[in-house]
Amino acid sequence: MTNDVVHTAIIGGDPLFREGLRRILEDTRYSTCVIATSLGDAMRYGESVHLALLLEFADGDPQFLDGLAALRARWPNARVVAIVENRSGQLVAALKAGVHGYLARYI
């Protein structure tokens, strides 16, 4: 197993959820280098990202897939995980557009 640092972006969701996730990752090899309120906001960071965690994106948000395409272009080697409240129809489109997997926030 490698101990390499994984530069991580936490994007979207409410501020409390972002901060909680950042604190969970804080003492691990998943170094949070980008914390952004939206995909568009995340594109302003120059850091290289290995893992992008996308939080609570609304079903049917037309800007989500465009933002996801921009994220994949900006960080083509990043693994992208969506953390969602429900398994929606948009999730299939997101998987096709480059999300590598998803986690349900609530079970």
Side-chain angles (χ1 to χ4, degrees), residues 39 54 63-73 80 93-99:
L39 287 165
L54 309 178
Q63 296 177 347
F64 174 71
L65 293 178
D66 291 339
L68 180 57
L71 181 140
R72 298 296 296 140
V80 180
L95 289 167
K96 288 180 181 177
V99 168

Side-chain angles (χ1 to χ4, degrees), residues 85 104-107:
E85 288 199 25
R105 182 171 176 189
Y106 301 108
I107 297 177

Side-chain angles (χ1 to χ4, degrees), residues 5 9-10 12 20 27-28 31 42 54 61 63-64 68 70 73 76 83-84 86 88 92-93 97 99 105:
V5 172
I10 300 172
D27 292 328
T28 71
S31 170
L54 309 178
D61 180 353
Q63 296 177 347
F64 174 71
L68 180 57
I83 300 173
V84 298
N86 58 31
S88 65
V92 172
V99 168
R105 182 171 176 189

Side-chain angles (χ1 to χ4, degrees), residues 4-53:
D4 294 343
V5 172
V6 178
H7 298 282
T8 304
I10 300 172
I11 305 166
D14 64 66
L16 186 59
F17 192 39
R18 283 193 306 271
E19 180 61 18
L21 190 53
R22 184 195 68 76
R23 287 178 183 249
I24 289 169
L25 298 175
E26 172 172 74
D27 292 328
T28 71
R29 67 187 196 111
Y30 296 93
S31 170
T32 303
C33 64
V34 173
I35 298 178
T37 59
S38 67
L39 287 165
D41 185 34
M43 296 301 101
R44 291 184 247 172
Y45 289 86
E47 289 83 354
S48 176
V49 169
H50 304 120
L51 173 65
L53 302 174

